[in-house]
Amino acid sequence: MAKVIIDMTMSLDGYVAGPGDGPEFPLGKHGGRAIFDWYFSGNEEYRTPLFKPEPGPNLAEVKRMFEESGAFVFVRRTYEIARGWGGSHPVNGVPVFVLTHHSPPPASVPRGPSNIEFITDGIASAIRRAKAAAGEKYVKLGGASPGKQALREGLVDEILVHLAPYLLGGGVRLFDDLVDGVRLEKLGVTDGPLATHLRYRVLR
């Protein structure tokens, strides 16, 4: 059975995007790109122009992301900011499931290997369908909203945070609105240039 993992890059003060994020400024009006510097700090491209991690822990994390990711779950807002990834998510072009209240017209959805599917009946349904699509690989929750929804429903197996040495001072928080708290067990930590990679098991 596929694991469900929150896999996010985050600033030291807990933000995954800067203030004023949207289609014009996908990572916020200031600072958002800086938390992803670890993606671009090397000299050699890995798989796509988006990823150029420095050899060592950063490259190992990017490689693991490509090896273990079998499907992604996002919300409609992220889909729109990313313009549907042009129909092909940058990680292997894997299937993408988008949480929304209303599906867009089919003609407006970009076509490509990611086979984007819109889910209108909640996070549990999105994860169930993503697991079926992922096979032996893992389901990744992208963006703050799917992760928080899944944590509240007890659907997350692991949390992987790439912690950047940057203070955004505002924007989109990853771990707010968790009324009851969530107990974690540390599985591992590696420290690379411009990011510390922290992996936890969610204890239920």
CSV table of all heavy atoms in Angstrom, one decimal, residues 26-55:
chain,number,residue,atom,x,y,z
A,26,PRO,N,4.1,33.1,-8.2
A,26,PRO,CA,3.7,31.7,-7.7
A,26,PRO,C,4.3,31.4,-6.3
A,26,PRO,O,3.6,30.7,-5.6
A,26,PRO,CB,4.4,30.8,-8.8
A,26,PRO,CG,4.4,31.6,-10.0
A,26,PRO,CD,4.7,33.0,-9.6
A,27,LEU,N,5.4,32.0,-6.0
A,27,LEU,CA,6.0,31.7,-4.6
A,27,LEU,C,5.9,32.9,-3.7
A,27,LEU,O,6.6,33.0,-2.7
A,27,LEU,CB,7.4,31.3,-4.8
A,27,LEU,CG,7.6,29.9,-5.5
A,27,LEU,CD1,9.1,29.6,-5.8
A,27,LEU,CD2,6.9,28.8,-4.7
A,28,GLY,N,5.1,33.9,-4.1
A,28,GLY,CA,4.9,35.1,-3.3
A,28,GLY,C,5.6,36.3,-3.9
A,28,GLY,O,6.5,36.1,-4.7
A,29,LYS,N,5.3,37.5,-3.4
A,29,LYS,CA,5.8,38.7,-4.0
A,29,LYS,C,7.3,38.9,-3.6
A,29,LYS,O,8.0,39.7,-4.2
A,29,LYS,CB,5.0,39.9,-3.6
A,29,LYS,CG,3.6,39.9,-4.3
A,29,LYS,CD,2.9,41.2,-3.9
A,29,LYS,CE,1.5,41.2,-4.7
A,29,LYS,NZ,0.7,42.4,-4.3
A,30,HIS,N,7.7,38.3,-2.5
A,30,HIS,CA,9.1,38.4,-2.1
A,30,HIS,C,9.6,37.2,-1.4
A,30,HIS,O,8.8,36.6,-0.6
A,30,HIS,CB,9.4,39.7,-1.3
A,30,HIS,CG,8.8,39.6,0.1
A,30,HIS,ND1,9.4,38.9,1.1
A,30,HIS,CD2,7.7,40.2,0.6
A,30,HIS,CE1,8.7,39.0,2.2
A,30,HIS,NE2,7.6,39.8,2.0
A,31,GLY,N,10.8,36.7,-1.6
A,31,GLY,CA,11.4,35.7,-0.8
A,31,GLY,C,11.1,34.3,-1.1
A,31,GLY,O,11.8,33.4,-0.7
A,32,GLY,N,10.0,34.0,-1.7
A,32,GLY,CA,9.5,32.6,-1.8
A,32,GLY,C,10.5,31.7,-2.6
A,32,GLY,O,10.7,30.6,-2.2
A,33,ARG,N,11.1,32.3,-3.6
A,33,ARG,CA,12.0,31.5,-4.4
A,33,ARG,C,13.3,31.1,-3.6
A,33,ARG,O,13.9,30.1,-3.8
A,33,ARG,CB,12.5,32.2,-5.7
A,33,ARG,CG,13.4,31.4,-6.6
A,33,ARG,CD,13.8,32.2,-7.8
A,33,ARG,NE,14.9,31.6,-8.5
A,33,ARG,CZ,14.7,30.7,-9.4
A,33,ARG,NH1,13.5,30.2,-9.7
A,33,ARG,NH2,15.8,30.1,-10.1
A,34,ALA,N,13.6,32.0,-2.6
A,34,ALA,CA,14.8,31.7,-1.8
A,34,ALA,C,14.8,30.4,-1.1
A,34,ALA,O,15.8,29.8,-0.8
A,34,ALA,CB,15.1,32.9,-0.9
A,35,ILE,N,13.6,30.0,-0.6
A,35,ILE,CA,13.5,28.7,0.1
A,35,ILE,C,13.8,27.5,-0.7
A,35,ILE,O,14.0,26.4,-0.2
A,35,ILE,CB,12.2,28.6,0.9
A,35,ILE,CG1,11.0,28.4,0.0
A,35,ILE,CG2,12.0,29.8,1.9
A,35,ILE,CD1,9.7,28.1,0.7
A,36,PHE,N,13.8,27.7,-2.0
A,36,PHE,CA,14.0,26.6,-3.0
A,36,PHE,C,15.4,26.7,-3.6
A,36,PHE,O,15.8,26.0,-4.5
A,36,PHE,CB,13.0,26.6,-4.1
A,36,PHE,CG,11.6,26.2,-3.7
A,36,PHE,CD1,10.7,27.2,-3.3
A,36,PHE,CD2,11.3,24.9,-3.6
A,36,PHE,CE1,9.5,26.8,-2.8
A,36,PHE,CE2,10.0,24.5,-3.2
A,36,PHE,CZ,9.1,25.5,-2.8
A,37,ASP,N,16.3,27.6,-3.0
A,37,ASP,CA,17.7,27.7,-3.5
A,37,ASP,C,18.4,26.4,-3.6
A,37,ASP,O,19.3,26.2,-4.4
A,37,ASP,CB,18.5,28.7,-2.7
A,37,ASP,CG,18.1,30.2,-3.0
A,37,ASP,OD1,17.4,30.4,-4.1
A,37,ASP,OD2,18.5,31.1,-2.3
A,38,TRP,N,18.1,25.5,-2.6
A,38,TRP,CA,18.8,24.2,-2.6
A,38,TRP,C,18.5,23.4,-3.9
A,38,TRP,O,19.3,22.5,-4.2
A,38,TRP,CB,18.4,23.4,-1.3
A,38,TRP,CG,17.0,22.9,-1.3
A,38,TRP,CD1,15.9,23.5,-0.9
A,38,TRP,CD2,16.6,21.6,-1.6
A,38,TRP,NE1,14.8,22.7,-0.9
A,38,TRP,CE2,15.2,21.5,-1.4
A,38,TRP,CE3,17.2,20.4,-2.1
A,38,TRP,CZ2,14.4,20.3,-1.6
A,38,TRP,CZ3,16.5,19.3,-2.3
A,38,TRP,CH2,15.1,19.2,-2.0
A,39,TYR,N,17.4,23.6,-4.5
A,39,TYR,CA,17.1,23.0,-5.8
A,39,TYR,C,18.1,23.4,-6.9
A,39,TYR,O,18.4,22.6,-7.8
A,39,TYR,CB,15.7,23.4,-6.4
A,39,TYR,CG,14.5,22.6,-5.9
A,39,TYR,CD1,14.6,21.5,-5.0
A,39,TYR,CD2,13.3,23.0,-6.3
A,39,TYR,CE1,13.5,20.9,-4.6
A,39,TYR,CE2,12.1,22.3,-5.9
A,39,TYR,CZ,12.3,21.2,-5.0
A,39,TYR,OH,11.1,20.6,-4.6
A,40,PHE,N,18.6,24.6,-6.8
A,40,PHE,CA,19.3,25.2,-7.9
A,40,PHE,C,20.8,25.5,-7.6
A,40,PHE,O,21.5,26.2,-8.4
A,40,PHE,CB,18.7,26.6,-8.3
A,40,PHE,CG,17.2,26.6,-8.3
A,40,PHE,CD1,16.5,27.3,-7.4
A,40,PHE,CD2,16.5,25.7,-9.1
A,40,PHE,CE1,15.1,27.3,-7.4
A,40,PHE,CE2,15.1,25.7,-9.1
A,40,PHE,CZ,14.4,26.5,-8.3
A,41,SER,N,21.3,25.0,-6.5
A,41,SER,CA,22.6,25.4,-6.0
A,41,SER,C,23.8,24.7,-6.7
A,41,SER,O,24.9,25.0,-6.4
A,41,SER,CB,22.7,25.3,-4.5
A,41,SER,OG,22.5,23.9,-4.1
A,42,GLY,N,23.5,23.7,-7.4
A,42,GLY,CA,24.5,22.9,-8.1
A,42,GLY,C,24.8,23.4,-9.5
A,42,GLY,O,24.2,24.4,-10.0
A,43,ASN,N,25.6,22.7,-10.3
A,43,ASN,CA,25.9,23.1,-11.6
A,43,ASN,C,25.4,22.1,-12.7
A,43,ASN,O,25.4,22.4,-13.9
A,43,ASN,CB,27.4,23.2,-11.8
A,43,ASN,CG,28.0,24.2,-10.9
A,43,ASN,OD1,27.5,25.4,-10.9
A,43,ASN,ND2,29.1,23.9,-10.2
A,44,GLU,N,24.8,21.0,-12.2
A,44,GLU,CA,24.4,19.9,-13.2
A,44,GLU,C,22.9,19.7,-13.1
A,44,GLU,O,22.4,19.4,-12.0
A,44,GLU,CB,25.2,18.6,-12.9
A,44,GLU,CG,25.0,17.6,-14.0
A,44,GLU,CD,25.9,16.4,-13.8
A,44,GLU,OE1,26.9,16.5,-13.1
A,44,GLU,OE2,25.6,15.3,-14.3
A,45,GLU,N,22.2,19.7,-14.2
A,45,GLU,CA,20.8,19.5,-14.2
A,45,GLU,C,20.5,18.1,-13.9
A,45,GLU,O,21.1,17.1,-14.4
A,45,GLU,CB,20.3,19.9,-15.6
A,45,GLU,CG,18.8,19.8,-15.8
A,45,GLU,CD,18.4,20.2,-17.3
A,45,GLU,OE1,18.7,21.3,-17.6
A,45,GLU,OE2,17.9,19.3,-18.0
A,46,TYR,N,19.4,17.9,-13.1
A,46,TYR,CA,18.9,16.5,-12.9
A,46,TYR,C,17.5,16.3,-13.5
A,46,TYR,O,16.5,16.9,-13.0
A,46,TYR,CB,18.9,16.2,-11.4
A,46,TYR,CG,18.5,14.8,-11.0
A,46,TYR,CD1,19.4,13.8,-11.1
A,46,TYR,CD2,17.1,14.5,-10.7
A,46,TYR,CE1,19.0,12.5,-10.8
A,46,TYR,CE2,16.8,13.2,-10.4
A,46,TYR,CZ,17.7,12.2,-10.5
A,46,TYR,OH,17.3,10.9,-10.2
A,47,ARG,N,17.4,15.5,-14.5
A,47,ARG,CA,16.2,15.2,-15.2
A,47,ARG,C,15.5,16.3,-15.9
A,47,ARG,O,15.1,16.1,-17.0
A,47,ARG,CB,15.2,14.5,-14.2
A,47,ARG,CG,15.6,13.3,-13.5
A,47,ARG,CD,15.4,12.0,-14.3
A,47,ARG,NE,15.6,10.9,-13.5
A,47,ARG,CZ,14.7,10.0,-13.0
A,47,ARG,NH1,13.4,10.3,-13.3
A,47,ARG,NH2,15.0,9.0,-12.3
A,48,THR,N,15.3,17.4,-15.3
A,48,THR,CA,14.6,18.6,-15.9
A,48,THR,C,15.4,19.9,-15.5
A,48,THR,O,16.1,19.9,-14.6
A,48,THR,CB,13.1,18.7,-15.4
A,48,THR,OG1,13.1,19.3,-14.1
A,48,THR,CG2,12.4,17.4,-15.4
A,49,PRO,N,15.1,20.9,-16.3
A,49,PRO,CA,15.8,22.2,-16.0
A,49,PRO,C,15.4,22.7,-14.6
A,49,PRO,O,16.1,23.6,-14.1
A,49,PRO,CB,15.3,23.1,-17.1
A,49,PRO,CG,15.0,22.2,-18.2
A,49,PRO,CD,14.4,21.0,-17.6
A,50,LEU,N,14.3,22.3,-14.0
A,50,LEU,CA,13.8,22.8,-12.8
A,50,LEU,C,14.8,22.4,-11.6
A,50,LEU,O,14.9,23.1,-10.6
A,50,LEU,CB,12.4,22.2,-12.5
A,50,LEU,CG,11.8,22.7,-11.1
A,50,LEU,CD1,11.6,24.2,-11.1
A,50,LEU,CD2,10.5,22.0,-10.9
A,51,PHE,N,15.5,21.2,-11.7
A,51,PHE,CA,16.3,20.7,-10.6
A,51,PHE,C,17.7,20.7,-11.0
A,51,PHE,O,18.2,20.1,-12.0
A,51,PHE,CB,15.8,19.3,-10.3
A,51,PHE,CG,14.4,19.2,-9.9
A,51,PHE,CD1,13.4,18.7,-10.8
A,51,PHE,CD2,14.0,19.6,-8.6
A,51,PHE,CE1,12.1,18.6,-10.4
A,51,PHE,CE2,12.7,19.5,-8.2
A,51,PHE,CZ,11.7,19.0,-9.1
A,52,LYS,N,18.5,21.4,-10.1
A,52,LYS,CA,20.0,21.4,-10.3
A,52,LYS,C,20.6,21.4,-8.9
A,52,LYS,O,21.3,22.3,-8.5
A,52,LYS,CB,20.4,22.7,-11.1
A,52,LYS,CG,21.8,22.6,-11.6
A,52,LYS,CD,22.1,23.9,-12.3
A,52,LYS,CE,21.4,24.0,-13.7
A,52,LYS,NZ,21.8,25.2,-14.4
A,53,PRO,N,20.3,20.3,-8.1
A,53,PRO,CA,20.8,20.3,-6.7
A,53,PRO,C,22.3,20.0,-6.7
A,53,PRO,O,22.9,19.3,-7.5
A,53,PRO,CB,20.0,19.1,-6.1
A,53,PRO,CG,19.7,18.2,-7.3
A,53,PRO,CD,19.5,19.1,-8.5
A,54,GLU,N,22.9,20.5,-5.6
A,54,GLU,CA,24.3,20.3,-5.4
A,54,GLU,C,24.6,18.8,-5.0
A,54,GLU,O,23.7,18.3,-4.2
A,54,GLU,CB,24.9,21.2,-4.3
A,54,GLU,CG,26.4,21.3,-4.2
A,54,GLU,CD,26.8,22.5,-3.4
A,54,GLU,OE1,26.1,23.6,-3.5
A,54,GLU,OE2,27.8,22.4,-2.7
A,55,PRO,N,25.6,18.1,-5.4
A,55,PRO,CA,25.9,16.8,-5.0
A,55,PRO,C,25.9,16.6,-3.5
A,55,PRO,O,26.4,17.5,-2.8
A,55,PRO,CB,27.2,16.5,-5.7
A,55,PRO,CG,27.3,17.4,-6.8
A,55,PRO,CD,26.6,18.6,-6.4
